Amino acid sequence: MNSHPAARFDDKPGREVELDVATQDCMIHMGPQHPATHGVMRVLLKADGEILAGAQTHLGYLHRCAEKIGESVDWLQYLPYTDRYDYLAAMNNNLGYSLAVESLLGVEVPERAQYLRVIVAELNRIASHLFAVGTYGLDLGAFTPLFTALRDREEVLELFEKICGARLTYSYVRPGGVMNDAPEGWLASVAAFLDGFEKTWHEYWTLIAENKIFIERTANIGVLSAEQALAWGCSGPMLRGSGIDWDLRRDQPYLIYDRLEFDVIQGVGYRGQVGDCFDRTFVRMFEMVESVRILRQCLEQIPDGEVLHEEVGAVIRPAPGESYVAIENPRGELGHYCVSDGTKIAVRVRVRSPSFCNMSVAEHLMPGAMLGDAAAIIGSVDIVVGETDR
Amino acid sequence: MAARDTAWGPMELNRAAAQEAAEALRAAGWELELQLPNLPLIAPEGEAKDLVRRAKEEDAEPVWRGDAFLLLGKAQDLPAVLEHCRDELGYALLYDATAVDPSVDSAELKLIYGLRNLQTKARLIVQARVPKTEAVVPSVALVYPAADWHEREAAEMYGITYTGHPDPRKLLLPDDWAGFPLRKDYEYPEEYNGISCT
């Protein structure tokens, strides 16, 4: 008999029970409309008293057939659908898909477009991490971080509205470059935002790292070991939170990331053990600081020039072939495996989404945790259900 | 830092890793082919559109661009080959496992597994083929737990049976969904449980 792959991690001791009272296993449905599931997703929890004995994730409530649509519409027509998987980081989704299409076209976009892409992707990373940390606080009963986080996220959304007219689903980055050049004064507004954000970041950090309730509810909770993170194919803050030094921006450099200096943040066990819920939040907080560093360098280096490759028009016919292109989304590795047969419609657009893989390990972090920790563990994965279900 | 050679990543590094892995796996006794794309990674200026057409006219060989990959001779070898990649070649992380239906006329489905080596920073794509009429393949979820959900998704979308999978339930589709939506010959349903789909 084959045992479940999780079984080999199950020898972790559960929590000490001081008084052993006879209890009955109780099945609890968390979701599909539970606010802490960040979308529509159901987790079936098995609780022995207040201690969790197991969990099972049920997905599919937000399945919109993205991959099937990818094989039914033109290469370029699919772009707006990419906005809809991780709707908190739509610029990054656009970028991942555009790079995958360009890899089959064999086209490198003009330098100014590459810089603009990095600028919008990093701004989106800040907005996404702000939302992640803010709503995570909300899951745990801390209201204040969300309001302050949304204040700054609003400024990023305003910047996006100025450059492309949309606040959530942008379709700004497109195969061949970007939709249009930045309007006059936009880059200066980005610099002004960074100046303000650097100051308010410390406010968030105090609200998180000095907040006793937040620390008690996240430190030493949901510890994901490095081996477990690797075995389950985790990526992004989930992988780095467990102390693994891996970032696609540095290790599989794309666009102009090889010209930029930044650090890869890893979990250090700041308030508890390496790989606990606090460490994942720690990684997100400091990644925002690194994004600011990246943005400042981009604003200095950005050259003038075209923003759209002249050979990429409205109808795209990539060369036959198949290619996998991955980028570092705020939530981890977003990969597109595109297969082309040389026509204007794809044979296959496979989306490897970070939340999907990160979520698959969450149910194995539950056994031994308290019932109330379920929300803390799911929240620390920072899933977007639009992306797990696609 | 891995050297960047295209705007979408270090493709030469991945290509070299595929060549190396192919030799190592062949030496260990597995039957496989190394598939290398024959178009340049970056199209020469002004030729992004015409290159394919002209290459076709000049040479009858099929032209293609993209990633190099390893094509296994036997799909039954998958778990053992991936285990060898993990333990001997250092590919510690499986980032994706999926399938492709190349066309309506194709008699086979392609299975695709993507691996990463965090030390050398390379990634490797391993593929195998299974007949559509009997799409049965051993699961790799016990080698890489990460394949658990990926295989469940591929199973419901392509009608592949992963033998030995620890938890072969449907993942994204409802339990009573009929047909395999990502197969090219899939027919859209007229209705689902009394709900019109047209």
Side-chain angles (χ1 to χ4, degrees), chain A residues 219-232:
Chain A
N220 295 319
I221 304 290
V223 179
L224 175 72
S225 67
E227 299 80 58
Q228 216 172 345
L230 274 179
W232 287 90

Side-chain angles (χ1 to χ4, degrees), chain A residues 185-319:
Chain A
W186 189 82
L187 293 171
S189 328
V190 174
F193 162 74
L194 296 180
D195 291 338
F197 180 71
E198 264 180 338
K199 292 194 190 82
T200 50
W201 181 88
H202 293 280
E203 215 174 285
Y204 304 125
W205 181 237
T206 317
L207 282 171
I208 298 290
E210 308 293 334
N211 182 338
K212 186 150 178 25
I213 298 173
F214 190 90
I215 295 167
E216 290 285 319
R217 294 218 49 196
T218 55
N220 295 319
I221 304 290
V223 179
L224 175 72
S225 67
E227 299 80 58
Q228 216 172 345
L230 274 179
W232 287 90
C234 294
S235 54
M238 193 89 177
L239 186 68
R240 291 191 284 274
S242 295
I244 294 176
D245 187 19
W246 180 259
D247 188 320
L248 289 170
R249 290 174 292 173
R250 183 200 61 191
D251 296 320
Q252 289 256 304
Y254 51 92
L255 295 177
I256 42 93
Y257 277 108
D258 58 334
R259 301 182 199 168
L260 306 171
E261 256 179 56
F262 60 97
D263 290 327
V264 174
I265 310 295
Q266 297 164 58
V268 291
Y270 190 73
R271 292 291 189 199
Q273 283 169 266
V274 174
D276 62 7
C277 292
F278 190 92
D279 261 9
R280 295 195 266 281
T281 311
F282 172 90
V283 169
R284 291 191 185 102
M285 285 302 296
F286 281 90
E287 273 188 9
M288 289 196 264
V289 178
E290 295 305 316
S291 289
V292 171
R293 266 177 82 187
I294 292 175
L295 282 163
R296 287 209 186 284
Q297 294 171 54
C298 286
L299 292 179
E300 253 173 48
Q301 297 176 9
I302 186 167
D304 288 330
E306 293 294 312
V307 295
L308 192 59
H309 195 282
E310 53 189 15
E311 288 180 66
V312 183
V315 178
I316 297 173
R317 283 192 185 79

Side-chain angles (χ1 to χ4, degrees), chain A residues 59 350-361 383-384 387-390, chain B residues 146 148-153 171-172:
Chain A
L59 298 178
R350 159 71 177 165
V351 186
R352 183 266 187 222
S353 59
S355 294
F356 181 88
C357 304
N358 291 349
M359 194 56 210
S360 69
V361 76
I383 47 159
V384 167
E387 192 179 52
T388 57
D389 291 2
R390 285 155 282 139
Chain B
D148 184 340
W149 280 19
H150 289 308
E151 287 186 347
R152 280 172 68 185
E153 193 188 347
L171 184 65
L172 297 176

Side-chain angles (χ1 to χ4, degrees), chain B residues 57-132:
Chain B
E57 282 166 4
E58 285 162 20
D59 192 354
E61 287 281 300
V63 290
W64 60 289
R65 177 178 281 133
D67 273 307
F69 57 85
L70 308 185
L71 179 62
L72 292 190
K74 282 181 276 185
Q76 304 307 317
D77 289 344
L78 269 168
V81 168
L82 294 199
E83 198 169 356
H84 188 92
C85 290
R86 185 192 67 184
D87 296 338
E88 309 295 329
L89 309 182
Y91 289 90
L93 191 142
L94 177 126
Y95 62 78
D96 197 8
T98 186
V100 170
D101 185 356
S103 74
V104 184
D105 309 320
S106 165
E108 287 171 325
L109 293 172
K110 288 204 289 185
L111 303 166
I112 292 150
Y113 294 84
L115 310 176
R116 258 187 211 293
N117 185 333
L118 303 195
Q119 263 74 47
T120 62
K121 320 223 183 272
R123 62 178 170 75
L124 176 70
I125 296 175
V126 179
Q127 298 193 354
R129 283 164 206 244
V130 284
K132 276 185 184 171

Side-chain angles (χ1 to χ4, degrees), chain A residues 47-120:
Chain A
D48 175 13
E50 230 188 313
I51 296 173
L52 293 175
Q56 202 176 53
T57 316
H58 291 256
L59 298 178
Y61 293 89
L62 215 56
H63 179 56
R64 291 148 301 164
C65 324
E67 292 179 6
K68 185 75 181 170
I69 294 170
E71 320 179 343
S72 319
V73 297
D74 280 11
W75 287 97
L76 194 57
Q77 280 176 337
Y78 183 63
L79 183 67
Y81 291 98
T82 65
D83 284 323
R84 271 90 184 158
Y85 1 108
D86 178 357
Y87 36 74
L88 294 177
M91 286 290 188
N92 291 272
N93 301 344
N94 295 162
L95 174 59
Y97 177 67
S98 302
L99 283 176
V101 175
E102 285 155 16
S103 75
L104 286 173
L105 272 169
V107 156
E108 278 195 341
V109 304
E111 234 175 51
R112 187 174 173 82
Q114 296 198 30
Y115 276 95
L116 281 171
R117 283 173 168 198
V118 172
I119 290 172
V120 291

